[in-house]
Amino acid sequence: MTSHELQKIVLAEPRGFCAGVDRAIEIVERALAKFGAPIYVRHEIVHNTYVVNNLKEKGAIFIEDLAEVPRGATLVFSAHGVSKAVQREADARGFTVFDATCPLVTKVHVEVAKLAREGYEFIMIGHKGHPEVEGTMGQLDHGIHLVEDVDDVRRVQPSQTEKLAVVTQTTLSVDDAAEISAAVRMRFPRIREPKQQDICYATQNRQDAVKLLSKQVDVVIVVGSPTSSNSNRLAELARKLGVDAYMVDSAEELRPEWLAGRQRVGITAGASAPEILVQHVIERIRALGAVAVRRMDGITETVKFPLPKGLKLESS
């Protein structure tokens, strides 16, 4: 790289951990500190390899099936939320449960339960198989229909349309969700929509930041794990805006050829990716020749969620 081609790094603001992820990790760490290892966690607490491995080292055991948890153990539900069936099974097996479901996901569950009592059926916009979708759809035994795209909206067959409501996975692409919502409204003009949109503030803010970032850089690196829905959406969004984008779980995955001849490298991170991974990626790009790091102007997030009862640590 010649001297007049010095590479610059531009950091998206905001990026990385959101309040729901912060809270979920703190719940597991406090449970370990208060009750000692092992603490069982149903599903990855958040979708990030580094975070999960770090908690495993501290004594967390991640499971998918509650049959793997010994009777009377302490169990944490992941930030993505769980179905009523999983809650009932946990109660029946006598676990001490701490629920790390993100409060913004819980808000959707509460809305579904309330409207179901009033006789509503639901259209859910989300990704099939994602644990958050399984948790939300599992709030009811029937009457909740998943749509993943506009084609699904054309095909979906609720049993009635008088009382119909729409809910959304919290980590979707804001633009895709808007397009699918528009198709839902067109087919079911009287459908009830949530007072506040279900897509969470952190997903919206990180996507808005990538829209700004993409105008300023030649390539975007998204720090996030392959299982992270919101991280995948950030990379997709940058590509949609005409910029090459690559997702890395760690600095080791960064390939020098992605950056060759690119003067401005944008970096962001999904809501479950810790800042330490972003710093590792910056160090790696600096080692490859970048000389300056600039932070974009962006929203400062101040959201904080309270912890569940029973996790207060005795002050030393």
Side-chain angles (χ1 to χ4, degrees), residues 29-158:
E29 288 179 335
R30 284 201 177 210
L32 284 162
K34 186 158 182 174
F35 306 107
I39 296 293
Y40 291 83
V41 184
R42 185 189 180 276
H43 193 69
E44 292 188 341
I45 185 70
V46 298
H47 283 156
N48 184 270
T49 311
Y50 178 93
V51 169
V52 167
N53 288 341
N54 189 271
L55 291 171
K56 276 182 186 167
E57 282 167 21
K58 293 176 179 173
I61 297 175
F62 293 88
I63 54 97
E64 294 296 328
D65 185 343
L66 298 193
E68 300 171 57
V69 184
R71 213 172 170 74
T74 301
L75 175 71
V76 177
F77 292 146
S78 82
H80 313 97
V82 298
S83 67
K84 287 281 183 233
V86 169
Q87 286 176 333
R88 285 194 292 268
E89 189 186 344
D91 288 344
R93 289 176 180 268
F95 303 138
T96 301
V97 173
F98 292 102
D99 189 352
T101 302
C102 172
L104 298 175
V105 174
T106 301
K107 174 179 94 61
V108 178
H109 291 186
V110 168
E111 181 80 353
V112 165
K114 176 175 155 289
L115 292 179
R117 285 195 296 272
E118 296 171 24
Y120 276 81
E121 270 187 66
F122 299 87
I123 306 289
M124 176 162 199
I125 302 171
H127 295 296
K128 189 178 169 65
H130 189 278
E132 184 192 325
V133 169
E134 290 178 349
T136 298
M137 293 188 68
Q139 296 305 299
L140 303 179
D141 298 330
H142 63 277
I144 188 159
H145 311 272
L146 182 65
V147 296
E148 295 193 83
D149 53 32
V150 172
D151 283 345
D152 284 349
V153 175
R154 292 191 196 104
R155 288 192 292 264
V156 70
Q157 293 295 340

